[in-house]
């Protein structure tokens, strides 16, 4: 008889903890949205985005983005313009965060 016996195998195979690939997306999605909000306020302070009522330029009622005339505050209130730009840039940031998270998830899947 053999003096050495191997221990019996456990009924469940031991699994090593794996990194969830959607974890990057869950983290980078809100980071992208916050970056979009910061970008909106940066545009407002550098006057690349001019919305009368939010920026220092009160002489006209023109709303412009990168010196491109988009509309006026006579037809649409400046709150609507502000919320609209905030929604657009936070949406774009969210999409970029989603794509970055998915890309990083793919890279970890390939173990690079």
């Amino acid at each position: 008889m053999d003096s050495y016996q191997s221990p019996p195998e456990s009924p469940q195979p031991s699994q090593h903890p794996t990194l969830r690939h959607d974890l990057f997306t869950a983290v980078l999605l809100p980071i992208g949205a916050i970056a979009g909000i910061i970008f909106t306020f940066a545009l407002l302070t550098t006057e690349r985005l001019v919305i009368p009522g939010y920026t220092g330029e009160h002489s006209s009622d023109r709303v412009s983005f990168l010196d491109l005339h988009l509309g006026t505050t006579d037809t649409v209130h400046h709150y609507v313009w502000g919320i609209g730009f905030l929604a657009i840039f936070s949406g774009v940031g969210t999409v970029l965060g989603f794509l970055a998270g998915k890309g990083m998830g793919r890279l970890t899947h390939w173990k690079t």
Side-chain angles (χ1 to χ4, degrees), residues 57-89:
E57 189 176 307
H58 296 292
S59 61
S60 67
D61 60 349
R62 291 178 49 167
V63 176
S64 62
F65 177 62
L66 300 174
D67 295 328
L68 179 68
H69 176 67
L70 298 177
T72 64
T73 55
D74 288 339
T75 56
V76 179
H77 199 268
H78 69 276
Y79 291 146
V80 176
W81 282 107
I83 291 171
F85 277 111
L86 196 62
I88 288 171
F89 286 123

Side-chain angles (χ1 to χ4, degrees), residues 4-83:
Y4 176 74
Q5 291 182 350
S6 63
E9 289 188 26
S10 63
Q12 298 175 345
S14 64
Q15 294 181 356
H16 299 289
T18 59
L19 184 64
R20 293 184 51 183
H21 302 296
D22 57 346
L23 191 67
F24 291 110
T25 305
V27 170
L28 289 175
L29 217 90
I31 289 175
I34 291 170
I37 292 169
I38 292 171
F39 186 69
T40 304
F41 287 115
L43 286 174
L44 283 170
T45 58
T46 57
E47 303 217 358
R48 301 279 186 229
L49 174 63
V50 176
I51 303 173
Y54 291 121
T55 58
E57 189 176 307
H58 296 292
S59 61
S60 67
D61 60 349
R62 291 178 49 167
V63 176
S64 62
F65 177 62
L66 300 174
D67 295 328
L68 179 68
H69 176 67
L70 298 177
T72 64
T73 55
D74 288 339
T75 56
V76 179
H77 199 268
H78 69 276
Y79 291 146
V80 176
W81 282 107
I83 291 171

